Amino acid sequence: MLSNTQLLEQLSLQHKMNATVNPDWVRADYNWTRAIMVEAVEALDHLGWKWWKALPTADQSQFRMELVDVWHFVLSNELAYTEGDPHEAAANLRAAERTPNYVITAGHKAVDLRELAARDLLHVLIGAAAFGDVHLTAFSLLLERAGMSWDTLHKSYIAKNVLNLFRQAHGYKDGGYIKEWDGREDNEVLSEMVALDPQLTPDELMARLRAVYVQLQPAIQEASA
C-alpha cells in the first residue's frame, strides 16, 4: 500500500484538481463510483477481449493508465465520503488495504480473487462500483496483474494529475481542449515523456506538455476542423 505521506500528497492533489472543476465539489454529490465503473470498462477494452475482432491484442501501457484514472476516482470518492478530510480518507484507505477481501460469492460459489486474471478482476471492480462500492482488494490485485507496484502507481498518478490540470488550464471543461495530438492521444504522449525521463518534476512535466501542445497547435486544429 502507499505510505501515509504518499496518500496525503495524492489526496491534496486530487482535491486541487477537483476544485478546479468545481470549488464546492465535496458537497456536489457526484457519482464517483460510476466514474470508477466507466474507467474500469475502458481498461477492459485495452485488454483486447473482443474475440470477434482479428488478433485482439492487449495494450498494457494504456491498461495501466486506465488503472491510474480509476485511482483518481477512488481518492475522490473517499474524500467526498470524509467531507474533504484527507487524514481520515488516508486512514480509511489504509485500513481497507490491511483487511483484504479475497473471497466473493458468484454464481452460488466462492471465488478467490487471487486466482482471477485481470479481465475477471475488472468485472469485480466494475460490479462493485455499479452498486456504489469500491473493491480495493480487486484494485490492488489489478496493479499486480499490470506489473505495477504502489510506488509505480504513485509516480504515474502524479504524472496524470499534471495532465489533468493541464487539460483544465487549456479548455477541457468548456470543450476547447484537443486530446488528439498529431494522431496520438495526450495520454500516450504523457506516457512517452515519463518513460523517457522518469525524474521529471511536476513543474517540468507541465512545461514539456505545454511546449509540445503549443508546437502542435496548427496540426491539432487542422485535425479537429
Side-chain angles (χ1 to χ4, degrees), residues 132-205:
D133 196 10
V134 177
H135 205 298
L136 194 59
T137 303
F139 181 82
S140 181
L141 290 170
L142 278 163
L143 290 182
E144 292 181 15
R145 303 295 185 272
M148 297 175 72
S149 66
W150 284 101
D151 281 339
T152 303
L153 174 68
H154 181 66
K155 293 174 183 177
S156 299
Y157 170 84
I158 298 297
K160 186 57 186 288
N161 187 270
V162 170
L163 178 59
N164 287 341
L165 288 170
F166 180 86
R167 287 171 170 176
Q168 289 296 323
H170 291 80
Y172 195 69
K173 187 176 181 180
D174 62 19
Y177 179 75
I178 307 300
K179 287 182 69 173
E180 292 291 328
W181 294 18
D182 198 19
R184 294 191 300 165
E185 190 172 323
D186 56 2
N187 268 327
E188 298 176 64
V189 177
L190 174 73
S191 296
E192 183 177 282
M193 285 182 180
V194 173
L196 290 173
D197 193 349
Q199 303 307 315
L200 285 172
T201 67
D203 287 344
E204 289 169 340
L205 184 56

Side-chain angles (χ1 to χ4, degrees), residues 98-116:
R98 286 195 299 269
T99 55
N101 178 19
Y102 288 121
V103 179
I104 63 171
T105 301
H108 304 294
K109 66 178 181 178
V111 176
D112 190 330
L113 301 190
R114 290 166 291 191
E115 299 174 357
L116 300 183

Side-chain angles (χ1 to χ4, degrees), residues 45 48-57:
D45 266 343
W49 64 276
K50 296 178 181 178
W51 62 87
W52 59 89
K53 284 191 172 183
L55 299 176
T57 56

Side-chain angles (χ1 to χ4, degrees), residues 71-92:
W71 188 245
H72 281 73
F73 293 119
V74 172
L75 294 173
S76 298
N77 185 66
E78 196 59 48
L79 276 170
Y81 176 75
T82 61
E83 298 182 346
D85 186 333
H87 295 280
E88 185 181 352
N92 288 348

Side-chain angles (χ1 to χ4, degrees), residues 113 116-126 138 141-142 145:
L113 301 190
L116 300 183
R119 293 170 187 160
D120 295 322
L121 285 169
L122 282 168
H123 292 177
V124 175
L125 191 66
I126 291 164
L141 290 170
L142 278 163
R145 303 295 185 272

